[in-house]
Amino acid sequence: MTEKPVQAAFTLVLAALLLTACSGTGEPASQESPSARTTPSVRTAPSARTIAFQLYTHCGIGEARIGSTYFEAETPLSDGSAGPPDGWDNPYQSGRMTLTSATRAVFTDDAGHEVVFRARPGAKAFTVICQ
């Protein structure tokens, strides 16, 4: 893959993030319910590459949606019973998502958690439907 398509894809992801980051009223963007199986994405955009993020953890840490791009954790985390591991909030963990490229994102939080996510090209939905 050449550098220009990667830069264009990254620009599109950032544009989607910035467009969904705020409702235009200064209030956080609306979030879909977990039953809709979406990961609430952007609340604010503190910088062009790092955004505040509510990571859906109820069924473990395995997937995230950033804008319209679906990502999967390089190393999924679970308590062994399809829940978040000890030390993670449930159903969401507040933190930051940093887009390091068009296909890689890293979730971090104040508790010291770090999860690396890789984009799933062409994905239109989550791979696991959490009940």
Side-chain angles (χ1 to χ4, degrees), residues 19-104:
L19 288 173
T20 60
C22 183
S23 63
T25 62
E27 295 296 318
S30 65
Q31 298 179 354
E32 297 176 46
S33 70
S35 62
R37 197 44 197 131
T38 61
T39 301
S41 53
V42 182
R43 285 187 178 258
T44 62
S47 74
R49 301 187 99 196
T50 300
I51 57 172
F53 197 84
Q54 295 291 310
L55 181 63
Y56 187 64
T57 62
H58 183 66
C59 295
I61 294 91
E63 299 181 88
R65 188 180 77 186
I66 305 170
S68 61
T69 303
Y70 290 87
F71 287 76
E72 61 188 349
E74 283 187 346
T75 305
L77 304 172
S78 172
D79 65 358
S81 299
D86 286 340
W88 287 81
D89 290 340
N90 187 353
Y92 298 100
Q93 182 77 32
S94 296
R96 295 157 301 285
M97 190 68 80
T98 301
L99 294 166
T100 60
S101 74
T103 60
R104 184 176 184 270

